[in-house]
Amino acid sequence: MKKYIIFVMLAGLVLSSPLARAEDSEDSASLKSRRADFKEETKTRRETFVSGLKENREAFMAELKTRKEAWKTTRSEMKLKFCEKVNEIITKRFSTVLTQLEKFQTRVADKIEELKDAEEDTTLATAALNLSKSKLADAKAKLLEIKGLVPDNCTKITPEIFAKIKLGAREAKDLLKESRESLHQAVEEIKALRDNEDDDGKGN
């Protein structure tokens, strides 16, 4: 979970720092070609990212099946510890990541507005930001769902509830990864548009 926070902090520094101007001036045709290549690269990177999540999910589901079966013989004290850990993760770890991502999304939105004012095409950046927000909202909903699954008496957690909590936590984690990845794509698009401004002489 710490790597998500570190990413947000570092990316924030990237956005707050002035971007270097392109060393070589390019003509309009070259700029269009570079933008087209960037769009295709972004699409490919996202497809690869989502495919990786799917593969990891399949491996997780196989492991969860085994752990669900083992839960039938889990001692009461271990069940209590499990509930404590779930509550700690929801109230602290996930909560911290949610807050950091929301702050960074706001900063990205501000940068997009600046580029709009400069008459840059922010369609891709806006789409990536909106997707990031959507995935974050889904993660929040999933965390609320998990919280509702934890019973008052943790010693009565059934294997079915255990599996639902573990799966829900995994889904929330993956949604946060997707939110972060989409936010990263928005940042990359902003950087590309800033470079475009400099090449066109708009940054002068």
Side-chain angles (χ1 to χ4, degrees):
M1 197 63 63
K2 291 182 179 178
K3 63 184 179 182
Y4 304 146
I5 301 172
I6 293 173
F7 165 80
V8 172
M9 294 174 66
L10 290 177
L13 291 175
V14 169
L15 283 179
S16 62
S17 302
L19 294 170
R21 291 178 177 278
E23 294 180 357
D24 301 318
S25 176
E26 299 175 54
D27 58 24
S28 178
S30 179
L31 284 173
K32 289 181 179 179
S33 176
R34 188 178 68 179
R35 295 287 293 143
D37 290 342
F38 177 81
K39 290 178 182 179
E40 186 60 31
E41 179 185 346
T42 298
K43 179 182 177 181
T44 301
R45 188 168 67 241
R46 173 158 184 77
E47 289 175 348
T48 300
F49 177 81
V50 173
S51 177
L53 286 182
K54 183 178 179 180
E55 290 179 6
N56 292 335
R57 176 76 63 81
E58 291 174 353
F60 171 81
M61 292 300 294
E63 180 186 353
L64 181 59
K65 184 177 181 180
T66 301
R67 296 185 66 180
K68 178 182 177 182
E69 185 64 25
W71 187 261
K72 294 178 180 179
T73 57
T74 298
R75 299 191 309 272
S76 295
E77 56 268 30
M78 295 304 296
K79 291 182 178 181
L80 290 172
K81 287 183 179 180
F82 173 74
C83 282
E84 290 174 359
K85 185 175 181 180
V86 170
N87 288 324
E88 190 271 338
I89 289 174
I90 293 175
T91 59
K92 293 183 179 180
R93 297 184 190 179
F94 275 116
S95 180
T96 299
V97 175
L98 291 172
T99 299
Q100 292 292 339
L101 280 172
E102 287 175 337
K103 287 181 179 179
F104 190 36
Q105 286 174 347
T106 298
R107 297 189 66 178
V108 169
D110 291 341
K111 297 301 178 182
I112 289 176
E113 287 303 315
E114 290 177 9
L115 288 167
K116 281 184 179 180
D117 291 340
E119 298 183 353
E120 292 288 347
D121 182 2
T122 61
T123 302
L124 286 179
T126 300
L129 176 60
N130 288 340
L131 181 57
S132 176
K133 290 180 177 180
S134 176
K135 294 299 180 180
L136 187 60
D138 289 343
K140 285 183 177 180
K142 183 59 63 175
L143 290 172
L144 286 175
E145 180 182 320
I146 296 171
K147 191 173 183 179
L149 289 172
V150 180
D152 294 332
N153 185 351
C154 290
T155 62
K156 294 185 178 180
I157 290 184
T158 64
E160 289 71 27
I161 294 177
F162 166 79
K164 286 181 179 180
I165 291 174
K166 294 292 292 185
L167 179 58
R170 179 57 184 244
E171 291 175 343
K173 183 178 179 181
D174 285 350
L175 286 166
L176 288 174
K177 285 183 178 180
E178 290 193 72
S179 177
R180 182 195 63 178
E181 176 64 16
S182 296
L183 204 52
H184 176 67
Q185 290 181 0
V187 171
E188 290 298 311
E189 174 65 9
I190 287 171
K191 288 169 65 178
L193 290 172
R194 285 285 182 81
D195 287 342
N196 185 37
E197 275 191 311
D198 289 339
D199 291 340
D200 286 344
K202 294 180 182 180
N204 294 331

